[in-house]
Amino acid sequence: DNVHSAQRFEEVRRLSAALQEAESKIAQLSSKVEEYQHNSTPAPAFDTHQISRDLEAGGLSSAQTEAVLSALLKVSRSYEQLNRNTYSTKVELNERMLVHKAEFATLRSELQLLEKADFKMLKADYFNVDRKVEGLLEAAKVSAAKYASQLQELENKLLKALLGSVATVMTMLMAAWRFMTPK
């Protein structure tokens, strides 16, 4: 009887350790999502009137100044739209995280019931819980890799959009400079 109690205690201890490992991975993933959300920056705000005065003071005509400002506003709006699209993706990631947390809470409740059950029920239920824990651990590993990949993909998209925007603005400024330079 003591041997069975020791085996039961060891089974529950191993399942608890597996659950803690899975919760730790979820917490790490959650902190990565929060860090990504914290590091996302809003579209830059700028004073169009001041830029207009500066460009005209630099020798651009009113038409050229309006063209440059129009381009800057388009770039700013596309950057804002990209942020809105990215935010909805972050919300979806958070929703998925909540689903996994609920699954782990259910698993924890099941473990508490196991501790109270007699030895025969524990032995029968052990195999089912063990498979569920292993499945959830695998799912958590796959989800963590998927989330990390999605976060990297989002970061790459944001970087590409930002670089494209900067390149567009630089091209327009160079074109404006070319038009204002006497030939």
Side-chain angles (χ1 to χ4, degrees), residues 4-99:
H4 294 297
S5 293
Q7 288 174 342
R8 178 179 174 216
F9 176 76
E10 183 59 30
E11 290 171 358
V12 170
R13 189 194 62 73
R14 190 177 68 75
L15 288 173
S16 293
L19 178 63
Q20 287 176 349
E21 179 186 341
E23 286 176 335
S24 171
K25 290 184 182 203
I26 289 293
Q28 289 172 355
L29 186 56
S30 182
S31 70
K32 284 185 180 181
V33 168
E34 288 173 14
E35 177 185 336
Y36 183 77
Q37 289 173 337
H38 177 70
N39 290 335
S40 294
T41 55
F46 51 87
D47 182 358
T48 56
H49 184 66
Q50 182 61 44
I51 293 173
S52 174
R53 287 187 301 201
D54 292 345
L55 290 173
E56 287 177 358
L60 290 181
S61 69
S62 292
Q64 290 171 328
T65 298
E66 286 180 27
V68 169
L69 286 176
S70 175
L72 285 173
L73 288 172
K74 285 178 185 176
V75 168
S76 177
R77 285 186 192 115
S78 77
Y79 181 77
E80 288 172 3
Q81 181 64 35
L82 180 64
N83 272 349
R84 279 193 292 276
N85 292 343
T86 301
Y87 180 72
S88 67
T89 302
K90 287 186 263 184
V91 167
E92 291 169 6
L93 287 174
N94 284 332
E95 287 173 356
R96 290 181 197 151
M97 292 286 294
L98 291 175
V99 167

